[in-house]
Amino acid sequence: MGTVDNLRQERKGRTIPLARFYADFKIGSTNTCYGFVEGDDDPSYYRTIINNKLPKGCSIILYPSNGKENVKYIFEEISKRDYPANRITYFIDRDLSLIIEDPNLISGTQVYVTDNYSIENDILSEDTFINVAQDLLGFSTLPLNELERLKKYY
């Protein structure tokens, strides 16, 4: 592996999001919350939902952590220190933990575990699928019975 590949791999280390959090955390500010998510795409799913529930003037910083194992590691490391738990949340996917024991599944008042396999399953529904098909994919002129047929494939 070359130098560039080594540097890319280092960016995915489990301490990187933790170090960013330590650098970003503002002790006196109560308007900023922090969250750790599994993947690089997760902030786009969570941010809008979270910001809609936060009081005006508050915001959240989300740190992709490159997997559930790393979110668990970060959870354990921050739990050892004196950080206000009510400002830090951990978001993890349930995955197959209902049928297979998952050693990386964490629980606590500040941990959100998706109801379904992953957050994408919680957000994407038949209605969302049809709306995207009509609005973005050019299926807006399909008759209702064809849209119902599309739903069955979903």
Side-chain angles (χ1 to χ4, degrees), residues 73-108:
Y73 167 78
I74 292 165
F75 171 80
E76 290 169 348
E77 290 301 308
I78 291 176
S79 296
K80 295 176 188 175
R81 292 172 173 77
D82 191 25
Y83 283 95
N86 64 340
R87 292 182 50 209
I88 307 166
T89 305
Y90 307 85
F91 300 88
I92 58 175
D93 295 334
R94 181 168 305 282
D95 296 329
L96 298 175
S97 64
L98 291 175
I99 56 175
I100 299 172
E101 186 176 336
D102 187 348
N104 295 308
L105 193 63
I106 54 178
S107 63

Side-chain angles (χ1 to χ4, degrees), residues 6-124:
N6 286 337
L7 289 172
R8 282 188 186 123
Q9 191 60 33
E10 287 297 319
R11 287 190 310 205
K12 296 195 179 275
R14 67 184 187 172
T15 60
I16 299 299
L18 188 56
R20 288 183 182 150
F21 165 76
Y22 289 149
D24 293 344
F25 189 83
K26 294 176 181 44
I27 294 172
S29 172
T30 57
N31 295 342
T32 305
C33 296
Y34 305 87
F36 295 91
V37 296
E38 290 184 37
D40 292 338
D41 296 331
D42 289 348
S44 62
Y45 289 105
Y46 285 108
R47 188 173 286 111
T48 302
I49 295 167
I50 295 167
N51 282 331
N52 286 335
K53 297 196 181 289
L54 288 175
K56 187 176 172 105
C58 294
S59 64
I60 188 161
I61 299 172
L62 295 171
Y63 302 95
S65 303
N66 198 35
K68 188 187 300 184
E69 315 76 38
N70 293 342
V71 174
K72 180 182 180 185
Y73 167 78
I74 292 165
F75 171 80
E76 290 169 348
E77 290 301 308
I78 291 176
S79 296
K80 295 176 188 175
R81 292 172 173 77
D82 191 25
Y83 283 95
N86 64 340
R87 292 182 50 209
I88 307 166
T89 305
Y90 307 85
F91 300 88
I92 58 175
D93 295 334
R94 181 168 305 282
D95 296 329
L96 298 175
S97 64
L98 291 175
I99 56 175
I100 299 172
E101 186 176 336
D102 187 348
N104 295 308
L105 193 63
I106 54 178
S107 63
T109 57
Q110 71 272 33
V111 178
Y112 172 77
V113 180
T114 59
D115 293 331
N116 296 302
Y117 180 82
S118 68
I119 187 63
E120 293 86 348
N121 297 115
D122 289 347
I123 293 172
L124 190 59

